[in-house]
Amino acid sequence: MGPVWTPSLRAALDSRPSKSTLRAARLVATLALLWGSGFFWIKLSLGGFTPTQLTFGRLALGTLALWPIVLIRRLARPRGRMIWAHLALSALTANALPYTLFAIAQQTVSSSLAGIINRDDNSAVDGRYRFHGRR
């Protein structure tokens, strides 16, 4: 038995996507390439750098990219030891540690598996919070 062709189904299949839908699809594809390519570049860089060197390089490039914005916009720099201590702890746990661990892991797994594990990790955390009713 074949599909039932209703007028609304036929119209939906015959219609062309709008320009905004095509633009959104292109933006999502670009985002996926940019986001996912990070694991490819890590794997490629491990041919010449250690995981620690790679982490330092990523953090240094990020600093070089953001510092001109701070200077041009004349943004205030953090003052006080406590703020710097919080920033250091945040940078260590949110940037340096994960970058290093991904580089170490990618010495033995493929870049695609690293990307999948990264996505799966976020899903597990999100699911745990949804299950316990925290949002």
Side-chain angles (χ1 to χ4, degrees):
M1 180 139 181
V4 178
W5 294 103
T6 63
S8 60
L9 179 60
R10 173 63 72 190
L13 292 174
D14 288 342
S15 66
R16 295 183 183 266
S18 67
K19 286 184 179 182
S20 62
T21 302
L22 291 174
R23 182 174 185 273
R26 277 191 232 108
L27 288 173
V28 168
T30 302
L31 178 63
L33 284 173
L34 290 174
W35 198 335
S37 70
F39 298 103
F40 168 75
W41 295 117
I42 291 171
K43 189 72 167 183
L44 190 65
S45 299
L46 285 170
F49 299 105
T50 67
T52 307
Q53 290 171 327
L54 185 56
T55 298
F56 179 78
R58 288 181 73 177
L59 295 174
L61 287 173
T63 301
L64 289 174
L66 293 175
W67 192 246
I69 297 169
V70 170
L71 295 175
I72 290 168
R73 296 184 69 193
R74 297 181 182 168
L75 299 173
R77 272 76 142 195
R79 301 202 190 282
R81 289 182 185 212
M82 202 57 163
I83 292 175
W84 279 106
H86 284 279
L87 288 173
L89 181 63
S90 177
L92 179 67
T93 58
N95 296 333
L97 188 60
Y99 291 172
T100 305
L101 292 176
F102 266 113
I104 291 169
Q106 282 193 245
Q107 290 176 324
T108 56
V109 300
S110 69
S111 57
S112 15
L113 180 58
I116 291 167
I117 291 170
N118 180 50
R119 171 60 185 120
D120 189 47
D121 180 44
N122 295 334
S123 298
V125 170
D126 186 44
R128 186 184 73 210
Y129 282 111
R130 285 183 187 200
F131 179 74
H132 290 293
R134 297 181 193 123
R135 213 51 182 139

